[in-house]
Amino acid sequence: MRSIWNGAISFGLVSIPVKLVNATESHAVSFRQIHTADGGRIRYRKVCEVEEKEVPSAEIGKGYEDADGSIIPITDEDLAQLPLPTAKTIEIVSFVPASRIDPLQMDAAYYLAANGVPAAKPYTLLREALKRSDKVAVAKFALRGKERLGMLRVVGDVIAMHGLLWPDEIRSPEEVAPDTEVSVRDAELDLADALMNTLGEVDLESLHDDYREAVEALITAKVEGGEVAPETAPAERAGGKVIDLMAALEKSVRAAQEARGEEGEAAAEGEGAEVRPIKGRKRAAPKAPAKKTAAAKSTEKKATKGTKDTTADAKTDAKTDTKTGAAKKATQKKAAPKKRTSA
């Protein structure tokens, strides 16, 4: 890999000659602007707006645009006079736990390679010290005329350096957070946890850029003069709509289980996520009365008939008792002696 910077790591009084190489590369497909009428390339020319003519690179310098629009020329000699002690040195200023570095600060990534045989021993010493301490080194370095902040950490057997944004370059997230009070129920969190567990982990090496592969296939087909086979485009996801959050979570869990082939297996094997019914969302439908068997109907009919017969007998006995009582009272009344009248 081609180095983009040569210098040294300053580690106290230890100096480690290193080369800086890019740790990442872009595989994105790039396009050129063309004239659609004839396919000619559209190029940009650097034109002086005062003379209205193209200017060669040798005559182009730097300038700072002031607030009033005026340009203040800045020469390379002006910049060379400024103090920049890290122009050729990666100066380690501190060692901190990796958790102290906010991922928002991370910028471009580089590999640091030992530059020459004498650099191998101090390079290895710093690498092993970082491993054993379980810390990262915070350093200052200069690249392309700008002083920057960096973080050194171990990747395999190599020391990698991440460019870091300065703390004052990170915007505050306060204005981005929701400005309304929202409460989240435990049931919603349970379903969110179930969805996370169902999706599980992924091997990052298995992820790839589907869109880039489709673009490359399109270009290949056009080069070969063939037709591009149309593919079914995925349905666009609706955004910005108010949805039933609980229903969406439940549906997402089921879809994830089906995609992983776990539907019906989680309960049997005790693995995967479980979709729990949410209490209070829907009322259970009333159960239909069970159909009665012929024997039960017969028994019930007999019992009903017996009850009616008993009730009828009771009514008859009551009437008989009433008549008997009335007859006894009438007999007693007739048999009663008449009172004698005194003279």
Side-chain angles (χ1 to χ4, degrees):
M1 291 183 282
R2 185 175 64 87
S3 64
I4 60 175
W5 181 92
N6 292 337
I9 299 175
S10 175
F11 177 32
L13 298 178
V14 178
S15 181
I16 310 171
V18 292
K19 296 184 294 184
L20 193 70
V21 298
N22 286 315
T24 61
E25 58 186 2
S26 175
H27 291 165
V29 178
S30 59
F31 297 101
R32 302 291 187 183
Q33 289 186 329
I34 62 171
H35 186 198
T36 56
D38 54 20
R41 281 278 304 275
I42 302 297
R43 299 182 181 274
Y44 292 96
R45 291 184 171 88
K46 298 178 180 179
V47 177
C48 174
E49 64 181 15
V50 176
E51 299 180 353
E52 295 185 351
K53 68 176 185 180
E54 189 174 354
V55 179
S57 298
E59 297 180 13
I60 298 176
K62 300 182 181 70
Y64 175 80
E65 185 176 1
D66 205 356
D68 59 0
S70 61
I71 302 296
I72 303 171
I74 303 294
T75 66
D76 292 338
E77 290 74 15
D78 295 332
L79 296 175
Q81 295 176 6
L82 298 178
L84 191 59
T86 56
K88 286 293 182 180
T89 304
I90 299 173
E91 181 183 349
I92 295 178
V93 297
S94 178
F95 292 90
V96 300
S99 58
R100 289 274 303 277
I101 305 298
D102 191 336
L104 285 173
Q105 285 187 256
M106 292 189 181
D107 199 1
Y110 309 94
Y111 288 138
L112 296 172
N115 194 1
V117 176
K121 180 64 179 287
Y123 182 96
T124 305
L125 172 64
L126 176 59
R127 183 191 68 197
E128 295 304 312
L130 286 172
K131 279 185 179 180
R132 191 167 71 171
S133 67
D134 200 22
K135 292 183 178 181
V136 297
V138 178
K140 287 183 177 182
F141 69 103
L143 185 64
R144 300 185 181 95
K146 292 175 60 178
E147 186 170 58
R148 308 184 182 200
L149 196 62
M151 178 191 75
L152 277 64
R153 69 184 183 98
V154 178
V155 178
D157 293 330
V158 176
I159 299 175
M161 182 172 70
H162 295 268
L164 297 179
L165 300 175
W166 297 98
D168 60 358
E169 293 180 314
I170 305 298
R171 291 179 174 179
S172 173
E174 294 177 358
E175 297 180 0
V176 185
D179 55 359
T180 56
E181 291 291 335
V182 178
S183 60
V184 179
R185 294 180 295 165
D186 289 341
E188 294 168 334
L189 286 174
D190 290 342
L191 272 176
D193 290 341
L195 178 57
M196 292 168 62
N197 293 334
T198 304
L199 291 176
E201 298 182 359
V202 65
D203 180 9
L204 295 180
E205 297 293 332
S206 66
L207 301 179
H208 56 278
D209 190 345
D210 295 326
Y211 179 76
R212 187 195 57 171
E213 292 177 358
V215 171
E216 291 174 348
L218 170 66
I219 294 172
T220 302
K222 283 186 172 289
V223 169
E224 296 175 352
E227 293 294 330
V228 180
E231 294 186 5
T232 304
E236 294 186 2
R237 297 183 180 181
K241 294 183 179 180
V242 178
I243 61 173
D244 184 344
L245 182 58
M246 297 300 294
L249 285 171
E250 291 174 351
K251 187 176 180 180
S252 299
V253 171
R254 286 192 292 268
Q257 287 177 337
E258 291 173 3
R260 293 169 63 91
E262 295 177 356
E263 187 179 19
E265 296 180 3
E269 299 179 5
E271 299 178 354
E274 177 184 357
V275 181
R276 301 177 182 176
I278 307 305
K279 297 181 180 179
R281 290 193 65 221
K282 294 182 180 178
R283 295 183 179 178
K287 294 183 178 179
K291 294 183 179 180
K292 299 176 181 178
T293 60
K297 287 182 179 179
S298 177
T299 304
E300 183 178 353
K301 188 174 180 181
K302 291 179 180 179
T304 304
K305 184 178 179 181
T307 303
K308 289 181 179 179
D309 294 343
T310 304
T311 304
D313 293 343
K315 288 182 179 180
T316 302
D317 293 342
K319 287 180 180 180
T320 304
D321 293 343
T322 303
K323 290 180 179 179
T324 305
K328 286 182 179 179
K329 287 182 180 180
T331 305
Q332 290 176 358
K333 188 175 181 181
K334 290 179 179 180
K338 295 183 179 179
K339 294 182 180 180
R340 296 178 181 182
T341 303
S342 58

